[in-house]
C-alpha cells in the first residue's frame, strides 16, 4: 500500500508539472550499495526540456519497496551541470523506491525511480566504479606470488652474502603484502590510468587479453610457490581476477606508450634508458593529475 501511495503521488505531481509545460527526465548515474555502517553515493542526471537542469534543489527520499523501514532523506548537490549526487547509508540490500523532489524556483516536480541495491564489500569507489575487498585480497596474493617466485629464483641461482642480503630485502617486501592499503593504492592508480586510457579512446580486445593470460599462466607454472599460492586462493577465482587485472594493465600500458612516444618526439636520438626515465616522470605527473580529477571514496574498514 505504501509503495502504491508513493507511486500515485509521484505520478500526480509529474502530471501537474506537465501541465505547466515542462518536460523533466531523470536517469540514475550511480546506484548506492549496501555495506553495514557505510554511506555510498547516489547520483542522478536531470534534464528539463531536453537540457541539463542546473540550479535545482533536489531531495531524494528512500523507502524500502514493500517493507516498512521508514524513510531515509538525502539532499543531492549539483556537481557538473544537471548532475546531482549525495551520500546515503541504507540499512539493507534489496529493492528501494526513491522519490526525487526537484524544485526550480517556484516550480516543483517529483519523479519516482526504483533501484536494486546490492551488498558490496567495497574497498573504494572511483567515479562510481567499485574496487572490491576481493580485488584487494587478490592483488595481495598476486604480490606474494611475484615476491615468492623471485625469492625462489634467487635461492636457486645465488650463494653467499649477496643471497642473504637480497633475501632479506624480499622478505621485507613479502611482509608488506599483509597491509591492504598499499594494495589498494596500487589498484586505485591502475584503475585511474585505465579510465584515462578509455577516455583517450583506447580499448583492449579479447585476443590481447587471451595472449597475455597465456604468458602469465606459463610463467606461474614454472614456480612451485606460485602454484601453491594459486591453489590456496582458489584457482577459478584467481584466474577470473587475473583476467580483470590483465585488462586494466593493458589499458594503462597504452598511456605509458603515449608517454614514451611523446619523449621520443621531443628528444629524438635520446638513449633508451633516458627515454624511460623521462617517460616515467611524465606518466607519474599524469597519474597525479588524473587522480585529482576523479571522485575517489575509500572504504577500508573490514579489510
Amino acid at each position: 500500500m505504501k509503495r502504491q501511495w508513493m507511486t500515485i503521488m509521484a505520478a500526480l505531481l509529474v502530471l501537474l508539472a506537465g501541465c505547466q509545460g515542462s518536460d523533466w527526465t531523470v536517469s540514475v548515474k550511480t546506484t548506492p550499495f549496501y555495506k553495514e555502517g557505510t554511506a555510498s553515493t547516489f547520483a542522478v542526471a536531470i534534464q528539463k526540456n531536453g537540457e541539463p537542469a542546473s540550479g535545482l534543489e533536489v531531495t531524494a527520499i528512500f523507502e524500502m519497496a514493500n517493507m516498512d523501514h521508514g524513510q531515509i532523506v538525502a539532499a543531492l548537490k549539483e556537481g557538473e551541470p544537471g548532475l546531482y549526487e549525495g551520500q546515503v547509508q541504507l540499512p539493507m540490500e534489496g529493492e528501494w523506491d526513491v522519490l526525487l523532489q526537484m524544485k526550480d524556483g517556484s516550480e516543483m516536480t517529483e519523479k519516482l525511480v526504483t533501484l536494486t541495491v546490492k551488498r558490496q564489500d567495497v574497498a573504494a569507489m572511483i567515479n562510481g566504479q567499485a574496487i572490491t575487498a576481493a580485488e584487494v585480497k587478490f592483488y595481495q596474493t598476486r604480490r606474494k606470488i611475484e615476491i615468492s617466485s623471485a625469492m625462489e629464483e634467487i635461492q636457486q641461482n645465488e650463494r653467499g652474502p649477496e643471497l642473504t642480503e637480497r633475501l632479506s630485502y624480499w622478505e621485507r617486501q613479502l611482509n608488506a603484502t599483509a597491509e591492504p592499503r598499499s594494495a589498494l593504492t596500487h589498484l586505485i592508480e591502475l584503475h585511474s590510468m585505465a579510465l584515462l586510457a578509455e577516455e583517450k579512446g583506447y580499448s583492449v580486445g579479447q585476443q590481447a587479453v587471451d595472449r597475455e593470460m597465456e604468458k602469465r599462466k606459463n610463467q606461474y607454472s614454472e614456480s612451485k610457490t606460485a602454484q601453491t599460492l594459486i591453489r590456496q586462493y582458489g584457482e577459478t577465482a584467481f584466474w577470473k581476477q587475473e583476467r580483470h587485472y590483465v585488462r586494466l594493465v593493458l589499458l594503462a600500458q597504452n598511456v605509458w606508450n603515449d608517454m614514451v612516444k611523446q619523449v621520443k618526439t621531443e628528444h629524438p636520438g635520446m638513449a633508451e634508458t633516458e627515454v624511460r626515465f623521462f617517460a616515467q616522470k611524465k606518466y607519474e605527473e599524469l597519474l597525479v593529475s588524473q587522480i585529482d580529477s576523479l571522485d575517489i571514496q575509500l572504504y577500508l574498514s573490514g579489510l
Side-chain angles (χ1 to χ4, degrees):
M1 185 67 183
K2 176 190 71 177
R3 187 178 185 184
Q4 291 176 343
W5 177 249
M6 283 187 69
T7 305
I8 291 169
M9 289 299 295
L12 179 59
L13 285 164
V14 169
L15 178 61
L16 291 173
C19 292
Q20 295 173 3
S22 296
D23 179 22
W24 296 81
T25 59
V26 173
S27 58
V28 176
K29 294 301 182 182
T30 304
T31 300
F33 58 84
Y34 166 67
K35 181 177 182 179
E36 186 176 357
T38 300
S40 61
T41 299
F42 173 59
V44 292
I46 302 174
Q47 289 192 331
K48 182 180 179 181
N49 299 326
E51 299 292 335
S54 291
L56 305 182
E57 295 179 27
V58 182
T59 302
I61 303 172
F62 291 76
E63 289 195 32
M64 192 79 182
N66 302 317
M67 295 183 71
D68 188 10
H69 282 283
Q71 293 184 338
I72 299 171
V73 181
L76 306 186
K77 302 298 182 183
E78 187 174 16
E80 299 175 13
L83 182 64
Y84 296 81
E85 66 177 48
Q87 296 291 302
V88 60
Q89 184 174 321
L90 300 176
M92 65 185 299
E93 61 187 321
E95 192 172 353
W96 286 81
D97 291 327
V98 186
L99 188 63
L100 289 166
Q101 298 179 334
M102 300 168 288
K103 185 177 180 182
D104 186 9
S106 61
E107 184 180 1
M108 166 75 84
T109 192
E110 298 191 354
K111 289 278 190 178
L112 183 69
V113 297
T114 299
L115 307 175
T116 299
V117 175
K118 297 180 180 180
R119 179 190 297 268
Q120 287 197 32
D121 196 1
V122 175
M125 297 288 289
I126 303 180
N127 280 14
Q129 296 183 16
I131 297 177
T132 65
E135 193 174 348
V136 173
K137 290 174 182 176
F138 158 78
Y139 184 70
Q140 288 176 284
T141 298
R142 197 178 189 286
R143 280 294 292 157
K144 286 180 183 177
I145 290 173
E146 290 176 345
I147 294 168
S148 298
S149 297
M151 293 174 70
E152 188 178 321
E153 184 177 352
I154 290 168
Q155 288 172 317
Q156 291 174 352
N157 299 322
E158 296 186 15
R159 296 290 184 273
E162 186 176 348
L163 171 61
T164 304
E165 183 178 341
R166 294 191 66 184
L167 285 178
S168 177
Y169 166 79
W170 284 114
E171 283 171 0
R172 291 195 299 272
Q173 296 298 308
L174 189 60
N175 292 335
T177 63
E179 170 53 59
R181 284 171 179 79
S182 60
L184 181 56
T185 297
H186 169 78
L187 290 171
I188 287 173
E189 292 174 352
L190 181 59
H191 276 265
S192 297
M193 295 312 270
L195 281 172
L196 180 59
E198 290 177 327
E199 290 168 11
K200 288 174 171 285
Y202 289 111
S203 62
V204 175
Q206 189 82 9
Q207 290 184 342
V209 175
D210 288 343
R211 286 193 298 270
E212 186 61 27
M213 285 291 291
E214 190 64 29
K215 290 179 186 176
R216 293 177 184 229
K217 286 183 178 181
N218 291 336
Q219 178 184 347
Y220 293 153
S221 68
E222 297 174 358
S223 168
K224 292 181 180 179
T225 304
Q227 290 298 306
T228 299
L229 288 170
I230 291 171
R231 283 194 299 270
Q232 290 173 350
Y233 185 90
E235 292 191 38
T236 300
F238 180 86
W239 291 117
K240 181 179 179 180
Q241 288 281 9
E242 178 76 357
R243 188 171 194 86
H244 174 62
Y245 183 79
V246 162
R247 178 182 172 276
L248 295 174
V249 168
L250 293 177
L251 276 170
Q253 184 67 40
N254 288 301
V255 180
W256 164 256
N257 291 339
D258 283 348
M259 298 301 97
V260 171
K261 290 176 185 176
Q262 185 176 335
V263 172
K264 288 183 175 180
T265 299
E266 294 172 352
H267 304 281
M270 179 179 281
E272 193 63 31
T273 53
E274 289 183 287
V275 168
R276 293 184 65 83
F277 173 81
F278 284 104
Q280 184 64 38
K281 186 176 179 181
K282 286 181 177 291
Y283 185 90
E284 290 171 357
E285 290 171 351
L286 189 59
L287 173 61
V288 171
S289 175
Q290 171 70 351
I291 287 177
D292 286 344
S293 72
L294 299 174
D295 177 19
I296 299 176
Q297 300 170 36
L298 303 178
Y299 308 95
L300 269 176
S301 60
L303 282 178

